[in-house]
Amino acid sequence: MEKLFLFDTSNLVYRSFFGFSGRHLVNSKGEITSGIFGAMRTVIRLYKDFKFENAVFCLDGPRERTKRYSIYANYKINREKAPEDLKLQVKRTVNLLREAGIECVEIPGYESDDIISILVNRYFGKYSIYIVSGDKDLLQLLKFPEVRVISFSPSKSDYEVKDRNSFIVENGFEPEYIVDYLALLGDKVDNIPGAKGIGEKTSALLIQKYKTIENIYSNLDEIEGRVKEKLIQSREDVFLSKQLVTLFNDAQIDIPITRFSLSNFSKPKVVELLKEYEFKSILNEIMSETQLKVSTRSNGELSLFSEPSVSLDNIARHNNYKLITRKSELEELYGEILSKGYVCIDIETDEKHFMECKIVGIAISIEEGIGYYIPILHSVAKDIYGDIMDFIIKVCEDERIKKIGHNIKFEYVILKRYGVTVRNIFFDTMIASYTIRPELTQHNLDRLAEEYLNYKKFKYEEVTRKKESIFNTLLNANIEDVVNYACEDADITLRLYNFFSNKLEENEKLKKLFYEIEMPLVEVLGEMEYNGIKVDVEYLKNLSKELDLEINRVSSKIFDLAGENFNVNSPKQISYILFDKLKLNPVKKTKTGYSTDEEVLEELLGEHEIVEQILKYRTLTKLKTTYVDELPNLLIKSTGRVHTSFNQTITATGRLSSSNPNLQNIPVRDGLGKKIRLAFIANEGNLLGSFDYSQIELRVLAHFSGDPLLIEHFIENRDIHSETAMKVLHIKPEDMNSTYRRIGKIINFGIVYGISPYGLSKQLGVSIQEASDIIQKYFETYKGIKEYIFRVLEFVSKKGYVETMFGRIRRIPELVNKKFDENKLNFGKSERIAINTPIQGTAAEIVKISMNKLYNAIKNTSVKLLLQVHDEIIVELPEKEEENYSTMIKTILEKSVDLKVPLLVEYRFGKSWGELEK
């Protein structure tokens, strides 16, 4: 049978919209497009996976006029109104589908679930039917053998396909009885009452035994205790609930079905809308599927033309990409570069680690559409290898020539290994994209070419792994293909430079942020990556053995507490032990059973000793595998050091991150975290120095808020956490101790992160009301902070973004036109992002400015910058020279930026990172 796909359209857009919450996609007009983009992406993905021939998109009728309101006037009364942005995106998605000639059905009085039910009842047996929705009410339609339900995980892009059999295996009863199960369970979101006090587990057991609620109530004599009492008390609500969750099937309206293919979306009006929403990647995908290619004319206008995918050979004919093989060509090219005053560079390597790889060749572009490939390891270069290296040194070390690249830090580090210093690093297109649109999740060259130039680049694999043979690397591939591929990278980077440099001119703050903070940092981070840090491998081997013993000890304790041995690494087996055997209350259910993730286990702490031991086991095994056992594998043999990668374009707040290894994830307050940091050591005759900003985010908060009391505390160098504890908790100075100080610290940093009363109650172990009172008292004490928070929220409601002290922007368009009540401080995720971003982002920028200034001060000394983790900077310097440099470094860092309060940097020296802790 042909496939018929039935889409719950609102559910599709809602899922996409809220999936991007906090990092929404926004077009150049400032309009949120996340819901439309996600819905389109889902439809295209499912079409490619299933190749369905027919589709209907179903819509809710006006909420207040659906038939269920005549059954129960309070139906969905608690549900918050959808944000205006979300409503607009549903409307625009429907408009896009209708322009594509795809049926979107709305029937007055019916919800989309009911329309799907009508279609299923009408067409089962004629089509193989797939329902796309996360709504559990639709699972009742799995009673038809021809029906499948596709649902997406809320936090992931994976989807699950359910049929009648898989439903029975998972639930223990047939899908036709899910209406009875849902009638017992109720639904707070839709205000469906259900049986009060009866949860998922009990409801499932009742349905497994009795099938229907009618049968349950006919056999109440068999049911005992509290369950029976609750059923009796909730009888009317349960039968009402069954009416509400049962899907209708009584409409006599003829509903047409659309013949579906991606060619629906290649119509001129649809293409125009996709361009308006700036969905270049989707447009390219559609055109690729329909044998249309999206390219870029020299003037940057989008053009569509019928043509099979363009081959590498065709690209070579369309562009002037040239292989350099003569000394005279190098000399001529150097002259052209000097006359231009800039050069775009892209290095191709043999894929090894940046501290071990070899340069295969270098691509250069100084004019759009023109590229030069300079071979190094290719056989054609052997006669002029010396001339090539002289050319590279002249170009890279000439201060007069501005260097442009995409992730140019990579080029800097590799060329430094070859004895070449890249000077005048001027522009990085990856960092420019990040500066302009930090909400983008990727800033790689392929993505940016599609996003901004409507250009689909050729992949590395297309050059190195052709069908007729497998090459593995560029060095073994056809040289003409390598020239085209490498030159295209340089050419596209130059095009992006022209685009982004113009965009930065439109915003003076972002321009200054980019050129004065972010770009100077590239060389600093490049030096840090090149320097690396020494690791004590023998120490790690011994620590690994020590952890093995501790893991075995914890495992034995877990088995004793459980009363049996089991696989502690298996979530399923842990779930059985906790919830089936030990009868702990489940917190969260997933498609495979009750969740045992860290959040759940934290909730269960205190209910049974085994929970604490399982958390301890997971921490031990994770740190052992991630760091203790892995660090020796990351060691570079030629240097004897670990060279982490510092990422400048990952976090939305502007903070640096690191990878291979990720140093940010080593626990700070954990004893094992300190043991791991003891493995990072100084070279013989050297020391490590830690320079750590004290409470930098709270100091930034004092600057932004202007709160006189908070400013006074910092100017007088008081302990801010103790001061907060005394004032908010009414603690006398003589009674102050480390416990109260810890509570004060939780409160201070909780406020910075926009903590809710619930969140604070969890951290302090108090009731929500007590936590609410603490927050209220905090704002009474520090009135300026409360005023600052609402200034930020008022700003974001008007502008759709927040900004740091140095102009970094983070868009939060879902808060536009939102009203905020100063008396209600229970903020959602987006509000917390708005409150925290200016503070955390400014703190990150202060650290970056300090790193730039420090690097320039120590460039020609024996001090080396090694690491930057959170608010800490690690240096290495010769023993007995710490006194010569400590005051200088501390002064540079503390005076790097002027705030209303002083910045404070604390420093320590030792033979290992672990020794530098307070």
Side-chain angles (χ1 to χ4, degrees):
M1 289 187 289
E2 287 190 349
K3 299 182 189 72
L4 168 60
F5 265 61
L6 305 177
F7 290 89
D8 182 350
T9 312
S10 295
N11 187 277
L12 194 65
V13 181
Y14 278 38
R15 172 188 166 271
S16 303
F17 182 86
F18 288 109
F20 279 93
S21 182
R23 295 194 72 164
H24 275 297
L25 298 181
V26 182
N27 65 11
S28 57
K29 297 177 184 176
E31 299 167 331
I32 299 179
T33 57
S34 307
I36 317 169
F37 179 85
M40 283 291 297
R41 176 64 66 206
T42 300
V43 172
I44 292 171
R45 179 181 175 185
L46 291 175
Y47 178 76
K48 286 185 171 183
D49 288 355
F50 292 90
K51 292 293 187 288
F52 54 89
E53 299 90 347
N54 310 280
V56 179
F57 286 76
C58 305
L59 301 164
D60 289 329
R63 193 171 101 179
E64 66 280 1
R65 293 198 290 275
T66 61
K67 294 177 69 174
R68 285 178 181 80
Y69 282 88
S70 63
I71 299 171
Y72 183 45
N74 289 330
Y75 178 59
K76 292 189 176 181
I77 196 171
N78 297 329
R79 194 177 266 203
E80 288 186 18
K81 288 187 176 181
E84 291 303 316
D85 282 314
L86 176 53
K87 291 179 184 176
L88 180 60
Q89 286 185 73
V90 173
K91 185 177 179 180
R92 287 181 168 179
T93 301
V94 171
N95 180 52
L96 187 65
L97 292 166
R98 285 178 171 156
E99 290 291 350
I102 296 166
E103 195 61 43
C104 298
V105 179
E106 178 181 346
I107 303 175
Y110 292 83
E111 297 177 34
S112 60
D113 293 359
D114 298 315
I115 299 172
I116 290 171
S117 172
I118 292 165
L119 286 162
V120 168
N121 279 277
R122 186 169 300 172
Y123 292 110
F124 79 89
K126 298 177 183 177
Y127 295 100
S128 179
I129 300 175
Y130 290 77
I131 300 167
V132 182
S133 177
D135 196 325
K136 56 186 177 293
D137 292 355
L138 286 162
L139 294 173
Q140 61 194 269
L141 298 173
L142 291 177
K143 65 184 180 181
F144 298 104
E146 302 91 343
V147 173
R148 308 285 185 274
V149 173
I150 298 175
S151 59
F152 282 78
S153 165
S155 59
K156 298 178 182 177
S157 59
D158 299 334
Y159 61 78
E160 180 184 15
V161 183
K162 290 186 180 180
D163 60 12
R164 179 180 177 82
N165 290 335
S166 64
F167 178 93
I168 293 170
V169 169
E170 182 181 343
N171 296 280
F173 56 85
E174 294 78 3
E176 45 264 48
Y177 303 122
I178 193 171
V179 290
D180 300 274
Y181 170 75
L182 295 174
L184 288 172
L185 200 59
D187 188 330
K188 288 182 180 178
V189 175
D190 287 347
N191 199 35
I192 296 173
K196 289 179 175 59
I198 294 181
E200 291 182 8
K201 194 170 182 180
T202 304
S203 297
L205 290 171
L206 288 168
I207 299 303
Q208 286 165 10
K209 183 173 182 179
Y210 297 107
K211 305 299 184 187
T212 67
I213 59 170
E214 289 80 5
N215 204 24
I216 290 170
Y217 280 97
S218 297
N219 292 279
L220 277 177
D221 292 341
E222 297 179 11
I223 301 169
E224 299 178 350
R226 299 275 299 170
V227 174
K228 181 178 181 178
E229 290 177 22
K230 291 172 183 175
L231 285 169
I232 292 171
Q233 291 168 3
S234 302
R235 183 184 185 108
E236 286 186 20
D237 285 343
V238 170
F239 280 94
L240 169 65
S241 298
K242 185 171 181 177
Q243 278 186 280
L244 294 173
V245 298
T246 300
L247 298 178
F248 297 134
N249 179 33
D250 54 357
Q252 302 303 311
I253 301 168
D254 183 42
I255 303 175
I257 291 172
T258 303
R259 293 294 291 178
F260 188 94
S261 78
L262 288 191
S263 61
N264 289 73
F265 296 102
S266 63
K267 297 178 179 180
K269 179 62 177 176
V270 180
V271 170
E272 185 182 322
L273 287 171
L274 292 172
K275 286 167 63 179
E276 179 185 332
Y277 299 143
E278 299 174 10
F279 295 162
K280 279 96 174 180
S281 59
I282 288 179
L283 191 54
N284 274 321
E285 199 167 356
I286 291 166
M287 295 306 145
S288 174
E289 285 287 318
T290 56
Q291 294 301 301
L292 289 171
K293 177 72 179 175
V294 180
S295 73
T296 307
R297 296 188 192 277
S298 59
N299 63 3
E301 292 180 357
L302 189 68
S303 66
L304 305 175
F305 52 93
S306 297
E307 183 177 274
S309 293
V310 181
S311 68
L312 284 168
D313 294 332
N314 287 336
I315 284 287
R317 287 197 293 270
H318 289 306
N319 295 278
N320 189 1
Y321 293 164
K322 184 178 180 181
L323 175 67
I324 300 291
T325 57
R326 296 184 182 90
K327 181 180 179 180
S328 59
E329 292 173 326
L330 289 170
E331 291 171 346
E332 184 182 344
L333 179 56
Y334 180 62
E336 290 182 22
I337 293 170
L338 270 181
S339 66
K340 287 283 188 182
Y342 63 82
V343 63
C344 184
I345 301 175
D346 183 80
I347 287 181
E348 303 298 343
T349 70
D350 60 3
E351 296 188 82
K352 293 179 183 176
H353 189 278
F354 61 80
M355 287 300 293
E356 293 182 307
C357 65
K358 293 178 181 177
I359 301 177
V360 173
I362 296 180
I364 279 175
S365 180
I366 51 176
E367 186 176 340
E368 289 190 12
I370 299 174
Y372 304 90
Y373 185 70
I374 303 164
I376 292 180
L377 291 185
H378 299 275
S379 58
V380 295
K382 61 183 179 181
D383 293 335
I384 59 164
Y385 180 81
D387 297 316
I388 287 171
M389 293 311 298
D390 288 343
F391 169 83
I392 291 169
I393 292 169
K394 281 197 301 182
V395 170
C396 291
E397 297 198 346
D398 194 325
E399 290 272 9
R400 296 170 296 173
I401 302 170
K402 295 175 180 177
K403 313 308 184 303
I404 300 162
H406 187 86
N407 189 21
I408 201 170
K409 173 163 60 72
F410 180 74
E411 278 74 16
Y412 179 87
V413 177
I414 291 170
L415 286 167
K416 187 174 177 68
R417 286 178 41 234
Y418 276 72
V420 180
T421 300
V422 181
R423 304 190 190 281
N424 195 358
I425 298 174
F426 178 68
F427 203 98
D428 189 316
T429 52
M430 181 175 74
I431 297 170
S433 171
Y434 169 72
T435 304
I436 292 166
R437 291 183 68 188
E439 68 274 9
L440 286 183
T441 54
Q442 291 182 325
H443 301 273
N444 60 64
L445 195 59
D446 288 13
R447 168 69 190 274
L448 299 187
E450 292 186 20
E451 185 76 21
Y452 294 106
L453 305 178
N454 304 315
Y455 189 94
K456 195 168 184 66
K457 279 180 68 273
F458 285 98
K459 307 291 185 186
Y460 182 85
E461 292 75 15
E462 293 182 71
V463 184
T464 58
R465 305 179 197 282
K466 288 193 171 181
K467 291 179 182 177
E468 59 268 23
S469 62
I470 297 176
F471 291 115
N472 297 323
T473 71
L474 290 174
L475 191 58
N476 301 318
N478 182 286
I479 188 65
E480 288 82 10
D481 290 349
V482 175
V483 170
N484 293 323
Y485 167 76
C487 288
E488 183 186 58
D489 278 359
D491 180 15
I492 291 299
T493 301
L494 185 63
R495 292 170 190 255
L496 287 169
Y497 158 68
N498 290 330
F499 176 82
F500 286 134
S501 58
N502 288 329
K503 291 295 288 183
L504 286 166
E505 291 296 326
E506 297 171 8
N507 187 312
E508 195 60 36
K509 284 185 178 179
L510 284 184
K511 178 183 171 183
K512 193 172 181 180
L513 171 69
F514 175 77
Y515 286 110
E516 296 184 12
I517 299 178
E518 294 294 351
M519 283 311 303
L521 192 66
V522 172
E523 183 176 334
V524 181
L525 297 179
E527 283 291 324
M528 290 165 63
E529 290 185 1
Y530 178 82
N531 291 336
I533 186 168
K534 192 174 181 181
V535 169
D536 188 336
V537 175
E538 283 303 311
Y539 169 81
L540 287 171
K541 287 179 181 177
N542 292 328
L543 181 57
S544 182
K545 292 174 185 176
E546 179 187 323
L547 290 178
D548 279 334
L549 293 173
E550 180 66 7
I551 288 167
N552 288 335
R553 188 190 68 77
V554 173
S555 299
S556 297
K557 188 160 188 178
I558 290 170
F559 298 151
D560 289 342
L561 291 167
E564 64 177 272
N565 288 11
F566 63 97
N567 182 1
V568 191
N569 296 313
S570 166
K572 190 173 182 180
Q573 292 186 37
I574 289 177
S575 178
Y576 164 76
I577 294 294
L578 296 182
F579 306 124
D580 293 321
K581 186 171 184 180
L582 299 178
K583 305 297 183 186
L584 300 186
N585 293 319
V587 175
K588 183 169 62 176
K589 192 172 185 181
T590 67
K591 62 185 180 183
T592 56
Y594 293 119
S595 172
T596 61
D597 63 21
E598 187 173 347
E599 184 182 356
V600 167
L601 294 182
E602 292 284 352
E603 285 267 341
L604 294 173
L605 273 174
E607 291 197 21
H608 197 288
E609 188 183 350
I610 196 172
V611 177
E612 182 183 350
Q613 296 303 317
I614 291 171
L615 279 169
K616 188 173 184 180
Y617 173 88
R618 286 184 177 177
T619 299
L620 289 168
T621 53
K622 181 180 179 181
L623 292 177
K624 181 178 184 293
T625 55
T626 305
Y627 295 105
V628 180
D629 292 343
E630 183 61 17
L631 279 172
N633 299 328
L634 297 175
L635 212 68
I636 301 300
K637 291 180 182 177
S638 60
T639 67
R641 297 163 83 90
V642 167
H643 299 260
T644 190
S645 295
F646 291 98
N647 308 312
Q648 210 171 337
T649 61
I650 300 295
T651 68
T653 59
R655 273 195 168 197
L656 295 173
S657 66
S658 62
S659 54
N660 299 317
N662 180 350
L663 301 177
Q664 268 78 5
N665 277 4
I666 302 175
V668 176
R669 300 179 189 88
D670 190 282
L672 180 54
K674 180 173 181 177
K675 286 185 176 181
I676 292 170
R677 281 190 288 277
L678 284 168
F680 295 88
I681 60 175
N683 264 351
E684 191 66 34
N686 283 3
L687 289 175
L688 297 182
S690 164
F691 291 81
D692 193 3
Y693 279 100
S694 174
Q695 300 160 349
I696 188 170
E697 290 185 5
L698 291 176
R699 292 170 191 270
V700 170
L701 175 62
H703 175 81
F704 276 138
S705 68
D707 184 87
L709 186 59
L710 191 60
I711 289 173
E712 179 186 307
H713 291 338
F714 282 123
I715 289 175
E716 295 181 1
N717 199 25
R718 296 184 193 172
D719 184 339
I720 186 64
H721 302 317
S722 296
E723 291 292 335
T724 294
M726 286 189 287
K727 288 179 171 57
V728 174
L729 303 177
H730 306 291
I731 307 298
K732 294 178 181 178
E734 60 268 23
D735 295 332
M736 178 53 57
N737 56 36
S738 59
T739 301
Y740 288 131
R741 186 184 185 279
R742 182 186 64 82
I743 293 171
K745 187 175 183 178
I746 290 170
I747 295 168
N748 278 326
F749 283 109
I751 297 299
V752 173
Y753 286 87
I755 200 166
S756 65
Y758 174 77
L760 188 61
S761 73
K762 295 297 293 181
Q763 289 196 36
L764 296 182
V766 298
S767 70
I768 294 175
Q769 184 57 53
E770 287 175 301
S772 183
D773 292 342
I774 287 172
I775 293 173
Q776 193 65 41
K777 180 62 178 175
Y778 183 94
F779 286 130
E780 288 171 6
T781 304
Y782 302 110
K783 294 182 175 67
I785 296 177
K786 184 176 182 180
E787 291 168 4
Y788 159 73
I789 287 173
F790 282 96
R791 282 202 307 274
V792 171
L793 294 177
E794 185 179 16
F795 182 90
V796 76
S797 73
K798 291 177 181 176
K799 303 284 189 178
Y801 64 86
V802 290
E803 62 181 11
T804 64
M805 182 176 172
F806 299 94
R808 187 182 308 279
I809 286 173
R810 186 172 187 180
R811 293 174 182 84
I812 316 174
E814 62 268 31
L815 295 183
V816 173
N817 296 326
K818 185 167 181 179
K819 303 296 182 185
F820 297 100
D821 186 343
E822 290 193 31
N823 298 315
K824 292 182 180 178
L825 298 166
N826 197 0
F827 302 123
K829 179 181 176 182
S830 297
E831 288 89 344
R832 290 195 293 273
I833 288 170
I835 294 165
N836 175 249
T837 293
I839 298 166
Q840 191 179 101
T842 299
E845 287 158 3
I846 291 171
V847 173
K848 288 179 178 180
I849 292 167
S850 298
M851 291 171 71
N852 290 336
K853 291 185 176 182
L854 177 58
Y855 174 71
N856 288 326
I858 64 172
K859 191 180 287 188
N860 299 314
T861 71
S862 54
V863 182
K864 289 183 178 179
L865 270 168
L866 302 189
L867 303 176
Q868 194 280 311
V869 180
H870 303 306
D871 305 323
E872 181 182 21
I873 296 170
I874 306 291
V875 302
E876 185 173 21
L877 74 174
E879 284 186 76
K880 299 180 182 177
E881 289 193 24
E882 62 268 30
E883 289 185 16
N884 297 337
Y885 290 107
S886 56
T887 303
M888 180 196 82
I889 295 173
K890 175 180 168 69
T891 301
I892 289 171
L893 301 186
E894 289 183 343
K895 302 299 181 185
S896 62
V897 173
D898 289 328
L899 299 179
K900 294 174 185 175
V901 298
L903 290 169
L904 178 64
V905 171
E906 298 171 344
Y907 64 86
R908 287 161 224 87
F909 294 93
K911 294 297 291 182
S912 74
W913 188 11
E915 291 177 29
L916 306 180
E917 293 187 3
K918 295 178 185 177

